[in-house]
Short mmCIF file of all heavy atoms in Angstrom, two decimals:
data_model
loop_
_atom_site.label_atom_id
_atom_site.label_comp_id
_atom_site.label_asym_id
_atom_site.label_seq_id
_atom_site.Cartn_x
_atom_site.Cartn_y
_atom_site.Cartn_z
N GLY B 45 106.54 88.05 91.07
CA GLY B 45 106.50 89.26 91.91
C GLY B 45 105.84 88.93 93.23
O GLY B 45 105.20 87.88 93.35
N PRO B 46 105.98 89.83 94.21
CA PRO B 46 105.42 89.54 95.53
C PRO B 46 103.92 89.25 95.51
O PRO B 46 103.45 88.34 96.18
CB PRO B 46 105.71 90.82 96.31
CG PRO B 46 106.84 91.46 95.59
CD PRO B 46 106.70 91.07 94.16
N ARG B 47 103.17 90.01 94.66
CA ARG B 47 101.72 89.76 94.60
C ARG B 47 101.43 88.38 94.06
O ARG B 47 100.54 87.67 94.54
CB ARG B 47 101.05 90.81 93.71
CG ARG B 47 100.55 91.99 94.52
CD ARG B 47 100.27 93.16 93.63
NE ARG B 47 99.28 92.88 92.62
CZ ARG B 47 98.13 93.56 92.51
NH1 ARG B 47 97.83 94.47 93.38
NH2 ARG B 47 97.32 93.31 91.53
N THR B 48 102.22 87.94 93.05
CA THR B 48 102.03 86.61 92.49
C THR B 48 102.30 85.55 93.56
O THR B 48 101.58 84.56 93.66
CB THR B 48 103.00 86.41 91.30
OG1 THR B 48 102.95 87.57 90.51
CG2 THR B 48 102.63 85.20 90.49
N ARG B 49 103.34 85.81 94.37
CA ARG B 49 103.68 84.84 95.43
C ARG B 49 102.54 84.75 96.43
O ARG B 49 102.19 83.66 96.88
CB ARG B 49 104.98 85.27 96.12
CG ARG B 49 106.22 84.85 95.33
CD ARG B 49 107.44 84.82 96.22
NE ARG B 49 107.83 86.15 96.66
CZ ARG B 49 108.59 86.97 95.96
NH1 ARG B 49 109.05 86.60 94.79
NH2 ARG B 49 108.90 88.16 96.44
N TYR B 50 101.93 85.90 96.78
CA TYR B 50 100.81 85.86 97.73
C TYR B 50 99.63 85.10 97.14
O TYR B 50 98.94 84.37 97.84
CB TYR B 50 100.40 87.28 98.13
CG TYR B 50 101.32 87.86 99.17
CD1 TYR B 50 102.12 88.96 98.90
CD2 TYR B 50 101.42 87.27 100.43
CE1 TYR B 50 102.98 89.47 99.84
CE2 TYR B 50 102.28 87.77 101.38
CZ TYR B 50 103.07 88.88 101.09
OH TYR B 50 103.91 89.37 102.02
N ARG B 51 99.42 85.28 95.82
CA ARG B 51 98.32 84.56 95.18
C ARG B 51 98.57 83.05 95.24
O ARG B 51 97.67 82.27 95.51
CB ARG B 51 98.19 85.00 93.72
CG ARG B 51 97.49 86.32 93.60
CD ARG B 51 97.41 86.77 92.17
NE ARG B 51 97.02 88.16 92.09
CZ ARG B 51 97.29 88.95 91.07
NH1 ARG B 51 97.96 88.50 90.06
NH2 ARG B 51 96.90 90.20 91.08
N ALA B 52 99.85 82.65 95.01
CA ALA B 52 100.20 81.23 95.06
C ALA B 52 99.97 80.68 96.46
O ALA B 52 99.44 79.58 96.64
CB ALA B 52 101.65 81.04 94.64
N LEU B 53 100.35 81.48 97.46
CA LEU B 53 100.15 81.06 98.86
C LEU B 53 98.66 80.90 99.17
O LEU B 53 98.25 79.93 99.81
CB LEU B 53 100.75 82.10 99.80
CG LEU B 53 102.24 81.95 100.11
CD1 LEU B 53 102.71 83.10 100.99
CD2 LEU B 53 102.50 80.64 100.85
N ALA B 54 97.86 81.86 98.66
CA ALA B 54 96.41 81.80 98.90
C ALA B 54 95.83 80.55 98.24
O ALA B 54 94.99 79.86 98.84
CB ALA B 54 95.75 83.06 98.35
N ALA B 55 96.29 80.24 97.01
CA ALA B 55 95.80 79.06 96.30
C ALA B 55 96.17 77.80 97.08
O ALA B 55 95.34 76.89 97.24
CB ALA B 55 96.39 79.02 94.90
N ALA B 56 97.42 77.76 97.60
CA ALA B 56 97.87 76.60 98.37
C ALA B 56 97.01 76.44 99.62
O ALA B 56 96.62 75.32 100.00
CB ALA B 56 99.34 76.76 98.73
N ALA B 57 96.68 77.57 100.26
CA ALA B 57 95.86 77.52 101.48
C ALA B 57 94.47 76.99 101.15
O ALA B 57 93.92 76.16 101.89
CB ALA B 57 95.76 78.92 102.09
N LEU B 58 93.90 77.43 100.01
CA LEU B 58 92.56 76.95 99.60
C LEU B 58 92.57 75.45 99.36
O LEU B 58 91.66 74.73 99.78
CB LEU B 58 92.12 77.68 98.33
CG LEU B 58 91.53 79.07 98.54
CD1 LEU B 58 91.22 79.72 97.20
CD2 LEU B 58 90.24 78.97 99.36
N ILE B 59 93.64 74.97 98.68
CA ILE B 59 93.75 73.54 98.40
C ILE B 59 93.83 72.76 99.71
O ILE B 59 93.17 71.73 99.91
CB ILE B 59 94.98 73.25 97.50
CG1 ILE B 59 94.70 73.80 96.09
CG2 ILE B 59 95.28 71.76 97.44
CD1 ILE B 59 95.90 73.82 95.19
N ALA B 60 94.64 73.30 100.65
CA ALA B 60 94.80 72.62 101.95
C ALA B 60 93.45 72.55 102.68
O ALA B 60 93.09 71.51 103.25
CB ALA B 60 95.83 73.37 102.79
N ILE B 61 92.69 73.66 102.62
CA ILE B 61 91.38 73.69 103.29
C ILE B 61 90.43 72.67 102.63
O ILE B 61 89.73 71.92 103.30
CB ILE B 61 90.78 75.12 103.24
CG1 ILE B 61 91.59 76.03 104.16
CG2 ILE B 61 89.32 75.12 103.65
CD1 ILE B 61 91.32 77.51 103.96
N ALA B 62 90.46 72.63 101.26
CA ALA B 62 89.58 71.70 100.54
C ALA B 62 89.93 70.26 100.91
O ALA B 62 89.05 69.44 101.18
CB ALA B 62 89.74 71.93 99.04
N LEU B 63 91.26 69.96 100.93
CA LEU B 63 91.69 68.59 101.27
C LEU B 63 91.28 68.25 102.70
O LEU B 63 90.83 67.15 102.99
CB LEU B 63 93.22 68.47 101.11
CG LEU B 63 93.71 68.37 99.65
CD1 LEU B 63 95.23 68.37 99.62
CD2 LEU B 63 93.17 67.10 98.99
N GLY B 64 91.44 69.25 103.58
CA GLY B 64 91.05 69.05 104.98
C GLY B 64 89.57 68.77 105.09
O GLY B 64 89.13 67.85 105.80
N GLY B 65 88.75 69.52 104.33
CA GLY B 65 87.30 69.33 104.33
C GLY B 65 86.94 67.94 103.84
O GLY B 65 86.10 67.26 104.42
N TRP B 66 87.63 67.54 102.75
CA TRP B 66 87.36 66.20 102.20
C TRP B 66 87.72 65.14 103.24
O TRP B 66 87.00 64.15 103.41
CB TRP B 66 88.18 66.01 100.92
CG TRP B 66 87.95 64.67 100.29
CD1 TRP B 66 86.91 64.32 99.47
CD2 TRP B 66 88.74 63.50 100.46
NE1 TRP B 66 87.01 63.01 99.13
CE2 TRP B 66 88.12 62.47 99.72
CE3 TRP B 66 89.90 63.22 101.17
CZ2 TRP B 66 88.64 61.19 99.66
CZ3 TRP B 66 90.41 61.94 101.11
CH2 TRP B 66 89.79 60.94 100.37
N GLY B 67 88.82 65.35 103.96
CA GLY B 67 89.26 64.40 105.00
C GLY B 67 88.21 64.28 106.09
O GLY B 67 87.85 63.17 106.51
N VAL B 68 87.68 65.41 106.51
CA VAL B 68 86.64 65.40 107.56
C VAL B 68 85.41 64.65 107.06
O VAL B 68 84.83 63.82 107.76
CB VAL B 68 86.29 66.85 107.97
CG1 VAL B 68 85.04 66.89 108.84
CG2 VAL B 68 87.46 67.51 108.69
N HIS B 69 85.04 64.96 105.78
CA HIS B 69 83.86 64.31 105.19
C HIS B 69 84.06 62.79 105.15
O HIS B 69 83.16 62.02 105.53
CB HIS B 69 83.67 64.86 103.77
CG HIS B 69 82.61 64.15 102.99
ND1 HIS B 69 81.27 64.33 103.25
CD2 HIS B 69 82.70 63.22 102.00
CE1 HIS B 69 80.58 63.54 102.42
NE2 HIS B 69 81.43 62.87 101.65
N ALA B 70 85.26 62.36 104.72
CA ALA B 70 85.53 60.92 104.62
C ALA B 70 85.48 60.27 106.01
O ALA B 70 84.94 59.16 106.17
CB ALA B 70 86.91 60.72 103.98
N THR B 71 85.99 60.95 107.01
CA THR B 71 86.00 60.40 108.37
C THR B 71 84.56 60.24 108.87
O THR B 71 84.19 59.20 109.44
CB THR B 71 86.77 61.36 109.31
OG1 THR B 71 88.04 61.61 108.73
CG2 THR B 71 86.94 60.77 110.70
N LEU B 72 83.74 61.31 108.62
CA LEU B 72 82.34 61.25 109.08
C LEU B 72 81.59 60.11 108.40
O LEU B 72 80.79 59.40 109.02
CB LEU B 72 81.64 62.59 108.80
CG LEU B 72 82.08 63.75 109.69
CD1 LEU B 72 81.40 65.03 109.24
CD2 LEU B 72 81.71 63.46 111.16
N ARG B 73 81.88 59.95 107.10
CA ARG B 73 81.20 58.90 106.34
C ARG B 73 81.61 57.52 106.86
O ARG B 73 80.76 56.63 107.03
CB ARG B 73 81.57 59.04 104.86
CG ARG B 73 80.64 58.26 103.99
CD ARG B 73 80.88 58.54 102.55
NE ARG B 73 80.35 57.41 101.79
CZ ARG B 73 80.46 57.31 100.50
NH1 ARG B 73 81.10 58.25 99.83
NH2 ARG B 73 79.96 56.29 99.86
N ALA B 74 82.90 57.35 107.15
CA ALA B 74 83.39 56.06 107.67
C ALA B 74 82.73 55.77 109.02
O ALA B 74 82.35 54.63 109.32
CB ALA B 74 84.91 56.11 107.81
N ARG B 75 82.60 56.83 109.82
CA ARG B 75 81.99 56.64 111.14
C ARG B 75 80.52 56.22 111.00
O ARG B 75 80.05 55.31 111.70
CB ARG B 75 82.08 57.95 111.93
CG ARG B 75 82.05 57.74 113.44
CD ARG B 75 82.35 59.01 114.16
NE ARG B 75 81.12 59.72 114.46
CZ ARG B 75 81.07 60.83 115.18
NH1 ARG B 75 82.17 61.37 115.62
NH2 ARG B 75 79.92 61.41 115.43
N SER B 76 79.85 56.86 110.03
CA SER B 76 78.44 56.52 109.82
C SER B 76 78.31 55.07 109.34
O SER B 76 77.44 54.33 109.80
CB SER B 76 77.88 57.51 108.81
OG SER B 76 76.79 56.97 108.16
N ASP B 77 79.20 54.64 108.40
CA ASP B 77 79.18 53.25 107.91
C ASP B 77 79.41 52.28 109.06
O ASP B 77 78.76 51.23 109.16
CB ASP B 77 80.27 53.05 106.84
CG ASP B 77 79.89 53.75 105.54
OD1 ASP B 77 78.74 54.22 105.43
OD2 ASP B 77 80.76 53.85 104.65
N LEU B 78 80.33 52.63 109.93
CA LEU B 78 80.66 51.76 111.07
C LEU B 78 79.45 51.61 111.99
O LEU B 78 79.13 50.50 112.46
CB LEU B 78 81.85 52.36 111.83
CG LEU B 78 82.36 51.54 113.01
CD1 LEU B 78 82.96 50.21 112.54
CD2 LEU B 78 83.40 52.31 113.81
N MET B 79 78.74 52.72 112.20
CA MET B 79 77.56 52.70 113.07
C MET B 79 76.50 51.77 112.48
O MET B 79 75.88 50.97 113.19
CB MET B 79 76.99 54.12 113.24
CG MET B 79 77.88 55.06 114.01
SD MET B 79 78.28 54.49 115.65
CE MET B 79 76.77 54.86 116.50
N VAL B 80 76.30 51.87 111.15
CA VAL B 80 75.31 51.01 110.47
C VAL B 80 75.71 49.55 110.62
O VAL B 80 74.89 48.69 110.97
CB VAL B 80 75.21 51.40 108.98
CG1 VAL B 80 74.38 50.38 108.21
CG2 VAL B 80 74.57 52.78 108.84
N ALA B 81 77.03 49.29 110.40
CA ALA B 81 77.53 47.90 110.51
C ALA B 81 77.31 47.36 111.92
O ALA B 81 76.88 46.21 112.11
CB ALA B 81 79.01 47.86 110.15
N MET B 82 77.59 48.20 112.91
CA MET B 82 77.43 47.75 114.29
C MET B 82 75.96 47.51 114.62
O MET B 82 75.61 46.58 115.34
CB MET B 82 78.03 48.79 115.25
CG MET B 82 79.56 48.72 115.27
SD MET B 82 80.27 49.99 116.29
CE MET B 82 79.91 49.35 117.89
N ARG B 83 75.09 48.39 114.04
CA ARG B 83 73.66 48.21 114.30
C ARG B 83 73.17 46.88 113.71
O ARG B 83 72.46 46.12 114.36
CB ARG B 83 72.89 49.39 113.67
CG ARG B 83 71.57 49.67 114.41
CD ARG B 83 70.90 50.93 113.88
NE ARG B 83 71.72 52.11 114.10
CZ ARG B 83 72.01 52.99 113.16
NH1 ARG B 83 71.59 52.82 111.94
NH2 ARG B 83 72.75 54.03 113.44
N ILE B 84 73.64 46.57 112.48
CA ILE B 84 73.24 45.31 111.81
C ILE B 84 73.76 44.12 112.62
O ILE B 84 73.01 43.17 112.91
CB ILE B 84 73.79 45.27 110.36
CG1 ILE B 84 73.05 46.31 109.51
CG2 ILE B 84 73.63 43.88 109.75
CD1 ILE B 84 73.68 46.56 108.15
N ALA B 85 75.04 44.23 113.03
CA ALA B 85 75.65 43.13 113.80
C ALA B 85 74.89 42.93 115.10
O ALA B 85 74.62 41.79 115.52
CB ALA B 85 77.11 43.45 114.08
N SER B 86 74.51 44.05 115.72
CA SER B 86 73.80 43.97 117.00
C SER B 86 72.44 43.31 116.82
O SER B 86 72.02 42.48 117.63
CB SER B 86 73.69 45.39 117.56
OG SER B 86 72.57 45.52 118.35
N GLN B 87 71.77 43.64 115.67
CA GLN B 87 70.47 43.02 115.39
C GLN B 87 70.62 41.51 115.19
O GLN B 87 69.81 40.71 115.68
CB GLN B 87 69.84 43.65 114.14
CG GLN B 87 69.20 44.99 114.43
CD GLN B 87 68.81 45.72 113.15
OE1 GLN B 87 69.06 45.23 112.05
NE2 GLN B 87 68.21 46.89 113.32
N LYS B 88 71.70 41.12 114.47
CA LYS B 88 71.94 39.69 114.20
C LYS B 88 72.18 38.96 115.52
O LYS B 88 71.65 37.86 115.75
CB LYS B 88 73.17 39.53 113.30
CG LYS B 88 72.97 40.09 111.91
CD LYS B 88 72.22 39.10 111.04
CE LYS B 88 72.02 39.69 109.64
NZ LYS B 88 70.96 38.99 108.92
N VAL B 89 72.99 39.58 116.38
CA VAL B 89 73.30 38.95 117.67
C VAL B 89 72.01 38.80 118.48
O VAL B 89 71.73 37.74 119.08
CB VAL B 89 74.35 39.77 118.46
CG1 VAL B 89 74.47 39.30 119.90
CG2 VAL B 89 75.69 39.69 117.77
#
Side-chain angles (χ1 to χ4, degrees):
Chain B
R47 267 163 60 120
T48 315
R49 279 200 292 275
Y50 280 115
R51 281 178 193 156
L53 274 177
L58 278 176
I59 290 169
I61 289 166
L63 284 175
W66 181 82
V68 169
H69 172 74
T71 308
L72 288 176
R73 196 172 158 184
R75 205 171 92 175
S76 156
D77 288 351
L78 183 66
M79 292 302 283
V80 170
M82 284 176 75
R83 207 173 298 130
I84 291 168
S86 151
Q87 281 170 358
K88 294 278 180 198
V89 168

